[in-house]
Each structure stands twice: as C-alpha cells, then as structure tokens.
Amino acid sequence: MPDKAKAQSAIEKAKAAAAARANMSPEEKLAAEITALKARVEKARVRLEKACSAGDANIEAFETALKNLQNKLDDKMREQQKLTGGDH
C-alpha cells in the first residue's frame, strides 16, 4: 500500500474512532480508556522485562514509562469507581 493510501486509511480509521467515541456515554468512554490503558501497561511491562533481561542502558526510562502508565490507569479506575458508586 503506498504511503499516501496508508495515511488516508489511518485518517479514516481515526475519524471512525472519534465518531464512535462521540456516541459513547461517559461511562463507556471511561471503560474504553481503561481497557486501552491496561493493554499499554502490559506492553510496557513486557518492554521493561526485555530491557532488564538484555541489560539495556535505558531501563530507567522503561521503568518511568511503566510507572506513568500505571498511575494513569489507577487514576482512571478511581474515576470509574466514583462514577459507578464503587461497584467495580
């Protein structure tokens, strides 16, 4: 796929995602954000483990990235608990 077609495809995908989010309730948006953050945290954990195993010089950067993502996830989960009255 040529670069221009890839870019157009990415733009269309982003527009579709934005339209889907616009139709979501606040609870649905928050749940989607939490799901995405959980996936990002897991990927960051895997990257950190690989960096540690390889003796990567950038381990501290991987640790910081994981910590920041985990903090964002924790904040969103607290927000969800407040929104739902602590049911989750």
Side-chain angles (χ1 to χ4, degrees), residues 3-62:
D3 287 341
K4 190 172 183 178
K6 285 182 184 179
Q8 187 60 37
S9 176
I11 290 169
E12 293 303 320
K13 185 177 178 183
K15 284 181 181 179
R21 280 192 306 274
N23 293 324
M24 288 181 174
S25 70
E27 293 86 357
E28 291 169 326
K29 285 180 187 178
L30 188 56
E33 290 174 6
I34 288 171
T35 298
L37 277 167
K38 284 180 178 178
R40 291 177 64 196
V41 165
E42 185 55 32
K43 287 179 183 179
R45 276 196 187 110
V46 169
R47 285 192 298 267
L48 175 58
E49 289 171 7
K50 287 181 181 178
C52 289
S53 296
D56 192 306
N58 297 311
I59 290 173
E60 190 173 315
F62 287 106

